[in-house]
Amino acid sequence: MTQPTTQSLAVLATEQSDPRFSGIDTLPTEEIARLMNTADAAVPAAVGRAVPEISAAIDAIAARMADGGRLLYVGAGTSGRLAVLDASECPPTFGTHPDLVQGIIAGGEAALVRSVEGAEDDAEAGAAVIRAKAVGPLDSVVGISASGRAPYVVAAVEQARRLGALTVGVACNTGTPLARAADHAIEAVVGPEVVTGSTRLKAGTAQKLVLNMISTITMIRSGRTYGNYMVDVVASNSKLVDRAARIVSDITGTRVPRAREVLEDAGRDVKTAVVMIERGVGADDARALLAAHGNRLGPALRGA
């Protein structure tokens, strides 16, 4: 793959210098902080303009996941770290298997804590990681690149598309190679950064907001919430046990101490505990009822 030239990168919105911030090195700390805060306030609006594209991508991802597919994020640098962060939060929040939502960063795990020079330019490695993950037609691959030109990410998306996977490109510029490579292009254009070219700032925030939507709404569509409760939360520590008990209490109207007792009888599974209380059954029957309704709490509570 041809790598982007310095000239082509220079025209990107994320590479421009904003004259409003040209004298930040001479300003008091509080004034710099206020300037950054003002700049950051524009990010949600930029993401908001991309909501139709985000929504279409999520519906397509959720449909494939319902048939057994996985969701793989691929990024480099800050984008890759955000990819791994979002993916790693899905198992504790939504009770997913670690393989269901995966984050891939150029340069591998070492790149999470230290920059791996040249990793984002390795197009062959991007294609190779998709082959190594045995990506197929049921899977969805989301490439994330602020510039929209990182060769590793573009090549990963191109390879995934050749293998029949659904592909999404998340960038902070328009008309990028990543957008052209993907089935769904999401372009959250946030403009120049406070520190010129430092796309870990507004662009990073925009990407995090987009990933929040993709993972959260996909999980909602997969039945891993009930109302706005995370009913598949893994109660693996005291804080999460307390949260799980309060969720059971809120949904059923049962006092928290009783909700905690039933939760323990249910193996700390929120859905099972709720069904036990609402349907007046034991843990095994509650699990069977959930299984009969695709492990979705709403249908299990309403069903015969």
Side-chain angles (χ1 to χ4, degrees), residues 13-122:
T14 50
E15 295 293 324
Q16 301 306 301
S17 179
D18 192 326
R20 294 179 298 168
F21 311 126
S22 60
I24 57 173
D25 58 331
T26 65
L27 298 176
T29 297
E30 184 173 336
E31 190 168 347
I32 300 172
R34 292 191 183 281
L35 282 172
M36 290 187 69
N37 183 244
T38 299
D40 289 341
V43 173
V47 174
R49 290 190 288 272
V51 160
E53 292 75 22
I54 296 169
S55 302
I58 291 169
D59 283 340
I61 292 168
R64 296 204 181 198
M65 189 174 286
D67 288 334
R70 301 168 297 170
L71 169 59
L72 288 80
Y73 294 133
V74 183
T78 295
S79 300
R81 295 181 189 100
L82 290 170
V84 173
L85 171 64
D86 197 76
S88 67
E89 292 290 349
C90 287
T93 305
F94 299 110
T96 60
H97 189 281
D99 289 342
L100 184 65
V101 183
Q102 301 180 39
I104 300 168
I105 183 171
E109 290 187 7
L112 288 171
V113 295
R114 188 183 299 274
S115 177
V116 177
E117 299 301 331
E120 75 170 57
D121 294 329
D122 192 343

Side-chain angles (χ1 to χ4, degrees), residues 3 36 53 66 72 92 108 120-121 124 168 172 190 216 234 275 283 291:
Q3 297 184 11
M36 290 187 69
E53 292 75 22
L72 288 80
E120 75 170 57
D121 294 329
E124 177 50 39
V168 180
C172 293
V190 296
T216 302
V234 177
V275 174

Side-chain angles (χ1 to χ4, degrees), residues 135-288:
V135 167
L138 292 180
D139 296 321
S140 302
V141 174
V142 178
I144 312 150
S145 168
S147 69
R149 293 166 178 257
Y152 179 95
V153 179
V154 175
V157 168
E158 290 175 337
Q159 180 65 42
R161 195 170 185 178
R162 283 193 292 270
L163 293 172
L166 176 80
T167 55
V168 180
V170 180
C172 293
N173 289 288
T174 59
T176 65
L178 180 57
R180 292 191 292 272
D183 297 304
H184 295 265
I186 297 170
E187 298 173 324
V189 182
V190 296
E193 301 286 3
V194 172
V195 175
T196 303
S198 183
T199 52
R200 68 185 182 87
L201 301 176
K202 290 192 297 180
T205 301
Q207 291 171 84
K208 181 63 171 72
L209 292 177
V210 173
L211 296 185
N212 284 349
M213 290 183 184
I214 291 174
S215 58
T216 302
I217 302 173
T218 298
M219 292 299 116
I220 292 171
R221 289 284 164 263
S222 299
R224 294 183 180 273
T225 62
Y226 179 76
N228 63 339
Y229 291 108
M230 54 171 75
V231 289
D232 273 318
V233 62
V234 177
S236 57
N237 59 40
S238 59
K239 178 192 75 174
L240 294 177
V241 170
D242 181 71
R243 178 182 297 164
R246 285 185 284 108
I247 291 172
V248 173
S249 174
D250 286 352
I251 294 173
T252 64
T254 303
R255 292 183 181 276
V256 171
R258 175 58 180 158
R260 186 183 290 271
E261 290 177 6
V262 178
L263 183 67
E264 292 297 332
D265 291 341
R268 295 187 175 181
D269 184 85
V270 170
K271 288 179 177 177
T272 302
V274 170
V275 174
M276 289 171 67
I277 294 171
E278 290 293 283
R279 301 300 298 271
V281 299
D284 289 343
D285 287 341
R287 294 187 188 101

